[in-house]
Amino acid sequence: MRVRWAMEEVGQPYAVRLVPWEKFKEETHLARNPFGQIPTYEEGDLTLFESGAIVLHIAERFPGLLPRDAAARARAIMWMFAALSTIEPPIVDRDVVEYAEAGKSWQGERFAMVDERIRARLAQLSARLGDSDWLDGDFSAADIIMVHVLRRLEGTGLLEEHPILAAYIARATGRPAYKRAFAAQLAVWEASTP
């Protein structure tokens, strides 16, 4: 979804090749992504994996997702790293607690610990965002990554504790490019769901 959204924002056509779950660990896919994950991006002879790296490449290759000013550009890239390295890890931990540790005697305790870490990060991010529409100036690749990371918390009740972040997500998901990317992703999901 992050990659689709970036491509839609820069107005570039793209094709999607689905990789069935059972093919993730086959040599053909591992040659493109040694960790057997998705997404993988192919452009001519270039193959990239890791959604953050792919979005950064798209933002550097096509105008519209990174500021021209060098300092603003560096800050946008910094925010991409912050989304992936500071905000997302405790959110991923929460997924582990919810799914991999379901039914364990310590699950409730772990939820409380992880949610406390998430709340702290959300409070810091909300304070930094304040009344700004976007993370740093105009909408950028950083907002794509950050919003996608934050959306992983939808349905947990944690986002509702931070109206500034809820409004930020609403602004981003209201963008025409997001709506096109989401509709395309939803169509793939619906076509593959029995």
Side-chain angles (χ1 to χ4, degrees):
M1 182 61 196
R2 298 169 186 182
V3 175
R4 275 187 194 274
W5 187 4
M7 293 300 281
E8 291 290 347
E9 287 287 349
V10 297
Q12 291 298 310
Y14 58 94
V16 174
R17 182 177 63 239
L18 301 179
V19 179
W21 179 255
E22 62 274 6
K23 304 248 184 214
F24 277 28
K25 304 301 180 195
E26 290 184 2
E27 287 303 315
T28 305
H29 185 64
L30 291 172
R32 290 187 294 270
N33 187 322
F35 302 108
Q37 299 173 331
I38 54 172
T40 300
Y41 176 88
E42 295 175 304
E43 178 186 301
D45 292 337
L46 175 65
T47 300
L48 298 173
F49 59 90
E50 292 298 334
S51 61
I54 297 166
V55 170
L56 178 57
H57 172 75
I58 293 166
E60 289 180 327
R61 187 156 176 340
F62 305 104
L65 288 178
L66 285 177
R68 291 177 189 240
D69 174 75
R73 183 183 195 90
R75 287 191 307 272
I77 293 169
M78 171 193 69
W79 277 109
M80 291 177 73
F81 277 82
L84 297 170
S85 300
T86 302
I87 304 295
E88 191 170 45
I91 295 171
V92 171
D93 284 349
R94 189 177 205 287
D95 290 343
V96 169
V97 173
E98 184 171 357
Y99 300 109
E101 298 176 1
K104 303 290 184 190
S105 61
W106 64 82
Q107 187 183 28
E109 219 174 297
R110 284 262 298 136
F111 260 131
M113 288 176 13
V114 170
D115 284 355
E116 183 178 325
R117 287 177 45 220
I118 292 170
R119 281 187 177 97
R121 290 297 186 211
L122 294 181
Q124 293 164 329
L125 180 61
S126 182
R128 173 59 175 80
L129 190 60
D131 62 359
S132 299
D133 284 344
W134 308 114
L135 290 172
D136 193 280
D138 294 334
F139 179 85
S140 74
D143 296 296
I144 289 174
I145 300 295
M146 186 65 78
V147 166
H148 195 264
V149 164
L150 293 172
R151 288 204 62 221
R152 293 180 70 151
L153 290 171
E154 289 177 343
T156 66
L158 294 167
L159 289 173
E160 290 76 6
E161 297 173 14
H162 300 278
I164 287 172
L165 297 181
Y168 169 60
I169 293 167
R171 275 191 300 282
T173 58
R175 294 175 66 82
Y178 178 88
K179 290 179 180 181
R180 289 190 303 272
F182 185 83
Q185 189 72 21
L186 183 60
V188 167
W189 183 80
E190 288 174 343
S192 65
T193 303

